[in-house]
Amino acid sequence: MAALTVAVTLCSEARLGHLRAQRVRLGRLAPPVPHVVVWLNESPAPKGAGLEDAVVVHVPPGPDGLRLAEGRNRGAAAARALGASLLVFLDADCVPGPDLVPGYEAAAARHPGALLCGPVTYLPEGASLAELDRDPAGLTRPHAARPAPPAGRTVVARDGDHRLFWSLSFALDVDTWARVGGFSAEYEGYGGEDTDFAFAAHAAEVPLVWVGGAHAYHQWHPTSSPPWQHLDDILRNGRVFAERWGSWPMEGWLAAFEEAGAIERRGGGWARTTRAATGQSA
């Protein structure tokens, strides 16, 4: 069977506009890349959403929120059913650069059995995708917290750097996916499931490889830092992570919440304080 790359994207109603832009750019690739879209809202994806030629998998929320981890598992299963040999996961907010898929394919051939991460640029407010198409080099500013090798080069992460993995843009072959075991469905709502996946990869002795030139571009939208709307998710998922791995993830956000007086150390973990501002964490 010929090698087949399949893109997998999680999406909710709030990010449908971003997903449409992503699909336009996936559609420009030659050969075309089959696309699995995992719809995370309670109701199925609406008609007219522009997903007619995608494989759509519906994964409704659980008791504690959107099921991002289980959504990726279901998306991977759908991609494998299509005959995928390489899985490319893209956040719904991210549009692929023209060399993202070929960059991942080349890196997968060079590093079989690895977890692959390309650079991600956060586009500034007001930056249009038409401008990105005209002058990609002028807008390419990879996030400084992760390595961004030159195009065509790869860097194997140092031991301990799996914590830097993020799920905005990554790829791995289907055998490596099975070796890691997918994402833990214990996570619901926002945060922690991607770091858990990286730790599971490390435990399975799967190397993390930074892939130069496989650029993705995160479309701007309003955010809060720290993400107050996700405070309870972060505490709940942080506890799940700590029980599995012995430490808490998302330390920067936890420190910011603590400084604001919203959480405190309790019993070796973190919990809300009675001083937590109701407006901030709504």
Side-chain angles (χ1 to χ4, degrees), residues 5-9 22 25-26 28-31 33-35 86-91 93-108 116-121 132 136 140 151-154 166-172 210-218:
T5 299
V6 177
V8 179
T9 305
Q22 179 190 107
R25 281 150 184 82
L26 283 174
R28 295 175 182 172
L29 301 176
V33 176
H35 195 195
L86 183 68
L87 307 171
V88 174
F89 289 84
L90 279 174
D91 190 280
D93 298 337
C94 290
V95 295
D99 296 325
L100 181 140
V101 169
Y104 277 143
E105 291 173 338
L116 310 169
C117 276
V120 177
T121 290
L132 177 63
T140 300
R153 292 188 57 187
T154 56
W166 54 3
S167 55
L168 293 174
S169 170
F170 70 99
L172 71 174
W210 308 107
V211 181
H215 290 285
Y217 300 86
H218 185 280

Side-chain angles (χ1 to χ4, degrees), residues 43-59:
S43 300
K47 293 182 179 180
L51 304 179
E52 291 76 16
D53 61 343
V55 174
V56 180
V57 180
H58 185 208
V59 181

Side-chain angles (χ1 to χ4, degrees), residues 35-244:
H35 195 195
V36 174
V37 174
V38 182
W39 191 257
L40 297 171
N41 289 112
E42 188 69 46
S43 300
K47 293 182 179 180
L51 304 179
E52 291 76 16
D53 61 343
V55 174
V56 180
V57 180
H58 185 208
V59 181
D64 293 314
L66 299 181
R67 294 192 287 163
L68 306 176
E70 180 60 15
R72 292 193 183 94
N73 293 341
R74 301 270 190 93
R80 294 187 71 170
L82 293 175
S85 52
L86 183 68
L87 307 171
V88 174
F89 289 84
L90 279 174
D91 190 280
D93 298 337
C94 290
V95 295
D99 296 325
L100 181 140
V101 169
Y104 277 143
E105 291 173 338
R110 190 181 310 167
H111 300 278
L115 176 57
L116 310 169
C117 276
V120 177
T121 290
Y122 276 79
L123 295 174
E125 183 177 5
S128 71
L129 294 181
E131 182 182 356
L132 177 63
D133 292 338
R134 289 193 303 270
D135 183 23
L139 283 176
T140 300
R141 298 289 184 272
H143 195 286
R146 274 86 178 168
R153 292 188 57 187
T154 56
V155 173
V156 178
R158 299 169 299 181
D159 189 49
D161 278 356
H162 278 67
R163 186 178 287 271
L164 295 177
F165 168 82
W166 54 3
S167 55
L168 293 174
S169 170
F170 70 99
L172 71 174
D173 62 57
V174 293
D175 291 336
T176 306
W177 172 267
R179 184 176 168 191
V180 177
F183 282 71
S184 170
E186 291 184 67
Y187 294 88
E188 290 186 359
Y190 183 87
E193 85 287 345
D194 50 356
T195 308
D196 182 284
F197 180 78
F199 273 46
H202 184 264
E205 299 183 346
V206 171
L208 175 64
V209 175
W210 308 107
V211 181
H215 290 285
Y217 300 86
H218 185 280
Q219 302 167 78
W220 185 89
H221 58 77
T223 59
S224 62
S225 184
W228 287 102
Q229 71 275 27
H230 299 304
L231 173 57
D232 290 323
D233 287 353
I234 289 168
L235 290 174
R236 183 183 60 257
N237 287 342
R239 281 190 289 271
V240 171
F241 186 96
E243 289 169 1
R244 286 168 58 84

